[in-house]
């Protein structure tokens, strides 16, 4: 991601709610709402080496990915989309539990983390 800092009065920030994954999506969505231009180009390419740490723990990688995905849906879509995707992920995880409990467990942990995040902010009862 390239950012022209001259276009900002103060340095733009990533949302601290994201630990891993979707932080760039959130960043672009927030700043486009403020009237900044966001663009994609094929003239610049970057080779990104996958993290050796996240590849060693695929369940943790999945947990963070799903948590950040749900967080992005909550912040940038309507409530109906969030509820639909939350239900699909939950039902899929419960169905997958006897087949691969590690993957299903990672999905359920992400959902739990997301629910705790919302309770902490007083968004759910």
């Amino acid at each position: 991601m390239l950012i022209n800092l001259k276009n900002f009065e103060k340095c733009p920030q990533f949302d601290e709610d994201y630990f891993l994954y979707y932080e760039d999506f959130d960043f672009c969505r927030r700043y486009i709402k403020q009237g900044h231009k966001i663009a994609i180009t094929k003239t610049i390419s970057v080779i990104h080496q996958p993290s050796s740490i996240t590849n060693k723990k695929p369940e943790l990688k999945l947990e963070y990915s799903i948590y950040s995905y749900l967080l992005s849906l909550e912040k940038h879509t309507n409530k109906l989309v969030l509820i639909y995707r939350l239900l699909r992920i939950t039902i899929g995880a419960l169905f997958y539990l006897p087949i691969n409990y590690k993957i299903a467990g990672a999905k359920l942990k992400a959902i739990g983390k997301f629910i705790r995040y919302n309770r902490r902010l007083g968004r759910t009862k």
Side-chain angles (χ1 to χ4, degrees):
M1 197 152 69
L2 301 172
I3 302 167
N4 186 348
L5 294 176
K6 290 189 285 184
N7 292 332
F8 295 89
E9 289 180 23
K10 61 181 186 174
C11 186
Q13 302 290 311
F14 284 101
D15 187 328
E16 293 179 5
D17 291 339
Y18 294 88
F19 171 68
L20 199 59
Y21 306 111
Y22 291 91
E23 69 281 354
D24 53 347
F25 169 79
D26 174 77
F27 181 93
C28 291
R29 295 292 299 166
R30 285 186 296 116
Y31 285 101
I32 203 166
K33 286 179 185 176
Q34 293 178 13
H36 297 282
K37 292 181 181 177
I38 307 294
I40 298 172
T41 181
K42 292 182 180 182
T43 58
I44 299 172
S45 67
V46 176
I47 298 171
H48 181 268
Q49 184 67 31
S51 170
S52 61
I53 295 171
T54 56
N55 286 337
K56 289 179 184 175
K57 297 191 175 192
E59 294 87 11
L60 193 57
K61 180 179 179 178
L62 180 62
E63 180 184 334
Y64 282 120
S65 178
I66 290 174
Y67 169 76
S68 293
Y69 173 67
L70 293 171
L71 191 60
S72 292
L73 289 176
E74 179 186 46
K75 291 181 180 219
H76 302 291
T77 65
N78 65 52
K79 198 166 204 130
L80 191 59
V81 171
L82 172 64
I83 291 168
Y84 172 74
R85 295 302 301 160
L86 187 55
L87 284 172
R88 281 200 53 167
I89 294 167
T90 303
I91 292 168
L94 292 173
F95 177 77
Y96 207 63
L97 202 54
I99 299 164
N100 188 331
Y101 71 93
K102 286 184 177 182
I103 297 297
K107 292 180 180 186
L108 294 172
K109 282 182 185 177
I111 292 165
K113 183 186 282 190
F114 176 73
I115 290 168
R116 285 189 303 277
Y117 165 80
N118 278 286
R119 281 194 179 142
R120 192 176 75 239
L121 297 178
R123 293 182 184 160
T124 60
K125 294 178 181 179

